């Protein structure tokens, strides 16, 4: 009698466990990890020395350091590139954006985490923010310490990125970066420190939120156009218009504008002083570049915060310039490249800089 009772009890227990395992398996979402290199995949000679090579280990090696992500998602990994992000380029951007769009159009894929070097992460994040055609979460993640360092920050950042990618609250927020327990928007991303693990900030708008105990907590949402509400589409493109950035400083001359004109660039972004001001020599050369060569010019600023506003010290309409508002020179370059896939009318470009 007693033994048949315990037999039944064990049977019921086993059934409950199997059912709950099944439910758990059903609830786990599929997240793709696309790897591009960077310090997060970097390898040093020892755990303490500074010298290391970015983009040295494969995505599968990298993920071995954070087995816990398998508890929260079904993980699939692909190596898209393995470079230091100082060498990030249009070809990888196009490949990445196309792959993200392909994967997110599959109903069984819930989100994407992209491992990426921190040096140009803000540019890639913004490029994807404007070219991904999906509401599903896309999270970029990097690290400031190589995978071989003591207290490497990569594994925790990857865990938090996957945790953010699987959360329903993360849908429709545009491309994000998760690092140092912060969730940052691609709309205002800046690397602010050359070495610190807390390097990324949203200096104008503040972070989107934090990751706490493996759960995202959002505190702001972007008002800028992005992802499925973006007018840009690179899915059929295999090349992007060339846009260069030219810095202003005391005594800056027309030297680099002349070089840009000779190189047949399609657009120039200025990293001006103050509210996007530029030397008179630069201004005259840029005005000629617009008038004589049809080059699109966007004024931005080398100052980290505040807008490069229209209608202040530079008569943009008189020269055919656009002002970048809250986009720094690096995001402005990305936006101008995409704008130029559609138009080089400065009024249209100005509208885009107000909306994105
Ligand atoms: N140079 C590295 C890179 O951007 C730095 C990093 O990842 O932190 O790939």
């Amino acid at each position: 009698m007693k033994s048949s009772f315990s037999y039944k009890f064990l049977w019921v227990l086993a059934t409950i466990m199997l059912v709950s395992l099944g439910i758990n398996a059903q609830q786990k979402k599929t997240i793709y990890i696309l790897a591009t290199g960077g310090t997060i995949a970097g390898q040093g000679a020892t755990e303490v020395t500074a010298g290391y090579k970015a983009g040295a280990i494969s995505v599968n090696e990298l993920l071995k350091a954070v087995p816990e992500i398998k508890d929260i998602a079904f993980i699939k990994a692909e190596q898209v590139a393995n470079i230091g992000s100082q060498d990030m380029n249009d070809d990888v951007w196009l490949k990445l954006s196309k792959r993200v769009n392909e994967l997110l159009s599959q109903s069984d894929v819930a989100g994407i985490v992209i491992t990426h070097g921190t040096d140009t992460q803000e540019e890639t994040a913004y490029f994807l923010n404007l070219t991904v055609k999906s509401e599903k979460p896309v999270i970029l993640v990097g690290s400031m310490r190589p995978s071989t360092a003591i207290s490497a920050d990569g594994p925790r950042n990857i865990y938090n990125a996957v945790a953010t990618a699987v959360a329903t609250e993360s849908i429709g927020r545009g491309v994000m970066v998760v690092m140092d327990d912060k969730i940052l928007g691609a709309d205002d991303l800046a690397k602010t420190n050359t070495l610190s693990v807390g390097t990324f900030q949203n200096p104008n708008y503040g972070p989107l939120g934090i990751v706490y105990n493996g759960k995202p907590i959002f505190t702001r949402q972007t008002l800028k156009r992005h992802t499925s509400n973006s007018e840009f589409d690179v899915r059929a493109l295999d090349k992007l218009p060339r846009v260069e950035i030219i810095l202003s400083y005391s005594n800056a001359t027309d030297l680099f504008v002349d070089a840009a004109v000779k190189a047949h660039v399609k657009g120039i972004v200025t990293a001006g002083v103050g509210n996007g001001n530029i030397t008179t020599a630069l201004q005259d050369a840029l005005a000629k570049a617009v008038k004589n060569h049809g080059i699109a010019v966007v004024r931005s600023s080398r100052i980290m915060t505040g807008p490069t506003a229209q209608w202040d010290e530079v008569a943009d309409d008189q020269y055919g310039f656009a002002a970048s508002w809250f986009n720094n020179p690096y995001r402005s370059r990305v936006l101008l490249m995409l704008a130029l896939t559609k138009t080089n009318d400065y009024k249209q470009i100005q509208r885009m800089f107000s909306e994105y």
Side-chain angles (χ1 to χ4, degrees):
M1 185 70 184
K2 196 175 174 209
S3 73
S4 101
F5 173 77
S6 40
Y7 181 73
K8 267 191 199 152
F9 177 73
L10 279 175
W11 182 250
V12 170
L13 199 68
T15 312
I16 291 172
M17 277 169 69
L18 280 174
V19 168
S20 71
L21 270 177
I23 289 173
N24 235 333
Q26 260 178 15
Q27 279 174 348
K28 270 208 278 181
K29 294 177 178 172
T30 298
I31 300 296
Y32 266 80
I33 302 198
L34 304 184
T36 69
T39 295
I40 195 163
Q43 210 165 23
T46 78
E47 290 179 357
V48 286
T49 51
Y52 69 94
K53 185 178 178 315
I57 65 166
S58 71
V59 60
N60 292 323
E61 279 300 305
L62 181 63
L63 297 183
K64 276 188 199 154
V66 51
E68 298 84 355
I69 52 175
K70 297 212 175 101
D71 299 337
I72 53 173
F74 288 119
I75 301 292
K76 294 194 175 172
E78 279 181 19
Q79 193 84 48
V80 174
N82 210 356
I83 54 176
S85 76
Q86 55 270 46
D87 285 324
M88 190 46 66
N89 55 65
D90 296 3
D91 290 343
V92 179
W93 275 359
L94 288 170
K95 188 173 166 192
L96 197 55
S97 175
K98 287 174 192 178
R99 188 64 186 137
V100 169
N101 277 318
E102 252 167 39
L103 288 171
L104 292 184
S105 68
Q106 291 174 208
S107 58
D108 59 329
V109 178
I112 310 253
V113 169
I114 298 167
T115 60
H116 194 292
T118 60
D119 287 351
T120 57
Q121 195 162 140
E122 59 207 86
E123 295 168 53
T124 303
Y126 196 54
F127 181 74
L128 295 173
N129 197 42
L130 302 187
T131 60
V132 167
K133 302 276 158 210
S134 174
E135 299 276 295
K136 293 177 187 173
V138 176
I139 318 280
L140 274 80
V141 63
S143 78
M144 292 299 284
R145 298 180 185 137
S147 67
T148 44
I150 295 176
S151 296
D153 49 332
R156 184 184 179 89
N157 288 342
I158 291 176
Y159 183 86
N160 282 343
V162 173
T164 305
V166 294
T168 319
E169 307 91 285
S170 303
I171 294 170
R173 293 186 183 269
V175 171
M176 297 174 267
V177 164
V178 171
M179 275 186 62
D180 193 37
D181 297 347
K182 291 196 286 279
I183 308 171
L184 299 142
D187 57 353
D188 181 33
L189 192 66
K191 185 172 181 178
T192 65
N193 189 288
T194 54
L195 290 176
S196 159
V197 294
T199 187
F200 281 113
Q201 286 185 30
N202 285 152
N204 287 292
Y205 310 147
L208 293 176
I210 61 167
V211 185
Y212 181 66
N213 284 343
K215 294 259 174 287
I217 301 174
F218 288 96
T219 50
R220 86 157 164 97
Q221 67 187 31
T222 184
L223 299 176
K224 295 289 175 186
R225 289 178 68 177
H226 60 79
T227 56
S228 41
N229 187 29
S230 161
E231 68 204 88
F232 307 112
D233 192 343
V234 296
R235 284 173 294 186
L237 300 183
D238 52 20
K239 223 171 165 310
L240 293 168
R242 182 169 174 190
V243 174
E244 297 290 337
I245 299 173
I246 294 180
L247 185 68
S248 189
Y249 42 86
S250 51
N251 293 305
T253 67
D254 57 3
L255 178 72
F256 296 115
V257 179
D258 283 353
V261 169
K262 282 194 190 112
H264 304 291
V265 304
K266 297 283 180 272
I268 296 173
V269 169
T270 58
V273 293
N275 180 15
N277 294 316
I278 42 190
T279 59
T280 306
L282 213 41
Q283 189 163 294
D284 292 346
L286 288 164
K288 276 192 209 141
V290 175
K291 200 162 168 226
N292 302 339
H293 304 279
I295 294 173
V297 171
V298 173
R299 279 190 312 113
S300 185
S301 175
R302 65 186 202 180
I303 308 295
M304 170 121 28
T305 52
T308 295
Q310 289 172 276
W311 316 298
D312 203 345
E313 286 188 69
V314 182
D316 290 314
D317 285 315
Q318 185 184 322
Y319 305 116
F321 299 163
S324 72
W325 288 103
F326 286 94
N327 281 316
N328 68 14
Y330 321 112
R331 282 195 306 282
S332 295
R333 177 172 169 271
V334 172
L335 179 51
L336 184 54
M337 288 164 80
L338 291 170
L340 287 166
T341 63
K342 308 213 110 191
T343 178
N344 84 339
D345 170 23
Y346 87 94
K347 288 200 173 132
Q348 276 301 316
I349 292 173
Q350 184 62 73
R351 171 192 62 77
M352 291 165 180
F353 273 85
S354 312
E355 293 178 357
Y356 292 89

